[in-house]
Amino acid sequence: KNKEKCLEEGGCEGTKVQMRLTAEYVCGGKFDVDNGVITSPLYPSNYINSEACIYDIVAPKKKRIALTCEYFNLSTKCIGHCGEHNGDKTYFQDITTFERYEGKDLEGKTIKSKKNHHTFYFLSNSKDVEDDHRQYGFSCSYHFF
């Protein structure tokens, strides 16, 4: 009955099941529209533990990107041997320069790209902040120039 809808040879034969697979970002994503906002998962609520997100911002050719973090407060709770930029910490990283930001490092600051493509990585550690009374997370706006 459903064979005519199955596009993969032999993939649906006799199963009466159809499946469509698509890829989507659970957090982060691709951002290619001017004047946007990137936020930590669940912002303005606290982000969840052990989350990894990639934010890929792409401007038109010959344009660059300016990212300004109006709110930036990551938990500084750490697991294991902890020091500056090591240990199991929550951080936001500029993949282009490998600069790593923790705590309130980016609050009120602007990062400007040298090219039309800029990628950021957010990693929250396994320390429980979901129910913490303090607000953890980030909200950063970007625009092309």
Side-chain angles (χ1 to χ4, degrees), residues 78 80-87 89 100 102:
C78 186
H81 180 69
C82 300
E84 188 173 341
H85 301 301
N86 69 356
K89 285 183 172 179
R100 189 166 147 170
E102 301 170 356

Side-chain angles (χ1 to χ4, degrees), residues 76-94:
T76 55
K77 295 177 181 177
C78 186
I79 300 168
H81 180 69
C82 300
E84 188 173 341
H85 301 301
N86 69 356
D88 183 10
K89 285 183 172 179
T90 296
Y91 63 89
F92 184 82
Q93 185 169 18
D94 181 334

Side-chain angles (χ1 to χ4, degrees), residues 75-143:
S75 171
T76 55
K77 295 177 181 177
C78 186
I79 300 168
H81 180 69
C82 300
E84 188 173 341
H85 301 301
N86 69 356
D88 183 10
K89 285 183 172 179
T90 296
Y91 63 89
F92 184 82
Q93 185 169 18
D94 181 334
I95 297 300
T96 308
T97 64
F98 297 104
E99 186 74 29
R100 189 166 147 170
Y101 304 96
E102 301 170 356
K104 293 182 175 260
D105 286 351
L106 276 179
E107 177 111 350
K109 298 204 171 101
T110 299
I111 297 172
K112 292 184 178 177
S113 69
K114 294 187 181 346
K115 297 184 179 182
N116 74 317
H117 185 198
H118 215 115
T119 303
F120 298 95
Y121 177 68
F122 169 70
L123 179 68
S124 63
N125 68 10
S126 57
K127 278 293 201 181
D128 189 15
V129 299
E130 293 175 50
D131 298 321
D132 198 305
H133 66 280
R134 290 166 285 198
Q135 184 183 7
Y136 291 116
F138 63 85
S139 178
C140 306
S141 61
Y142 69 87
H143 69 275

